[in-house]
Amino acid sequence: AQTVTQSQPEMSVQEAETVTLSCTYDTSESNYYLFWYKQPPSRQMILVIRQEAYKQQNATENRFSVNFQKAAKSFSLKISDSQLGDTAMYFCACPYSGAGSYQLTFGKGTKLSVIP
Amino acid sequence: DSGVTQTPKHLITATGQRVTLRCSPRSGDLSVYWYQQSLDQGLQFLIQYYNGEERAKGNILERFSAQQFPDLHSELNLSSLELGDSALYFCASSVSPTTGDIQYFGAGTRLSVL
């Protein structure tokens, strides 16, 4: 079974600074993707970034980037130039897929507060 | 806006009752997923449908059931409700049940069982 661990329940960062959120996972799949989702106070789950495990290059989406260490099963999210709108819960997710099935296993989340 | 529509946004009911949560997936998406988010358990996968067919079951209680209709909308039925069923229920959709497909989430239904 997949397990996803986010070891930082809460973090804070000054506006315009950089912050890194940690995630480790365990999967038996050979070809997989990893995801970071954001849940602001509105409760909506929003995809932040996706990483393909077989790609060496770390994914980047504007101010968001990942540090993917496949051997260590580590998938951290770096937010640069933090903005007030980045205040949210952040969830790391690892998919599990079977014959025609597909589900996400989520970590417990990290609550990020951006301080003005 | 993700394109996934969930109704109602809020639901307040009493123990022992039955409720139905509804989800309309994004246009073109054939796969629908249900997740439960509670304070103590986090986000947990409940069940997945693809083009009307059940494909995977997670931590779904026997008191809960779901289905996906020919027009691809889905309903999650919760019966004999208990206080512990109070949670945020999310529906998500994707084009297909393929690893790597992005799941787009609805805004959720907040269920309060009193």
Side-chain angles (χ1 to χ4, degrees):
Chain A
Q2 265 70 358
T3 58
V4 180
T5 302
Q6 294 180 250
S7 58
Q8 305 147 315
E10 289 194 45
M11 295 187 75
S12 61
V13 62
Q14 292 290 135
E15 198 175 3
E17 297 295 307
T18 296
V19 64
T20 299
L21 280 56
S22 301
C23 173
T24 58
Y25 65 93
D26 192 16
T27 180
S28 57
E29 305 207 357
S30 55
N31 182 22
Y32 56 93
Y33 290 70
L34 296 162
F35 301 85
W36 277 98
Y37 279 87
K38 164 185 174 178
Q39 187 178 37
S42 66
R43 312 178 318 191
Q44 179 81 50
M45 292 287 288
I46 302 164
L47 178 70
V48 176
I49 200 163
R50 178 181 67 165
Q51 172 74 43
E52 300 172 71
Y54 59 84
K55 281 194 174 178
Q56 297 285 343
Q57 190 173 5
N58 289 324
T60 300
E61 287 286 342
N62 300 314
R63 298 181 294 107
F64 299 87
S65 61
V66 301
N67 182 4
F68 175 50
Q69 304 287 331
K70 190 173 182 179
K73 293 188 175 176
S74 168
F75 180 56
S76 59
L77 175 70
K78 186 170 89 169
I79 306 174
S80 303
D81 185 25
S82 296
Q83 301 175 359
L84 296 178
D86 295 334
T87 292
M89 283 289 289
Y90 287 82
F91 295 93
C92 176
C94 178
Y96 170 76
S97 58
S101 70
Y102 172 43
Q103 58 189 269
L104 291 175
T105 299
F106 287 88
K108 295 287 189 190
T110 295
K111 184 177 181 181
L112 178 67
S113 299
V114 179
I115 302 164
Chain B
D1 184 3
S2 66
V4 179
T5 304
Q6 286 189 249
T7 56
K9 283 192 168 57
H10 303 276
L11 205 45
I12 301 174
T13 188
T15 55
Q17 295 299 305
R18 173 188 168 93
V19 297
T20 297
L21 313 183
R22 183 188 168 101
C23 169
S24 293
R26 288 188 330 149
S27 177
D29 285 359
L30 299 179
S31 202
V32 168
Y33 314 80
W34 287 96
Y35 293 87
Q36 178 193 56
Q37 185 178 31
S38 59
L39 283 173
D40 55 342
Q41 294 292 326
L43 263 161
Q44 302 250 310
F45 168 73
L46 294 178
I47 197 163
Q48 178 215 345
Y49 282 84
Y50 175 68
N51 206 18
E53 186 182 307
E54 182 186 304
R55 286 296 182 92
K57 264 187 174 178
N59 299 318
I60 188 166
L61 299 172
E62 284 192 15
R63 301 183 285 107
F64 296 0
S65 64
Q67 59 184 125
Q68 186 180 27
F69 294 86
D71 67 353
L72 301 177
H73 91 271
S74 178
E75 293 180 358
L76 178 66
N77 300 296
L78 315 176
S79 60
S80 303
L81 285 167
E82 302 175 358
L83 296 177
D85 298 327
S86 295
L88 189 51
Y89 291 84
F90 283 108
C91 169
S93 73
S94 69
V95 173
S96 68
T98 304
T99 187
D101 261 17
I102 294 171
Q103 292 188 18
Y104 294 91
F105 282 74
T109 293
R110 167 78 67 189
L111 174 65
S112 298
V113 182
L114 305 178

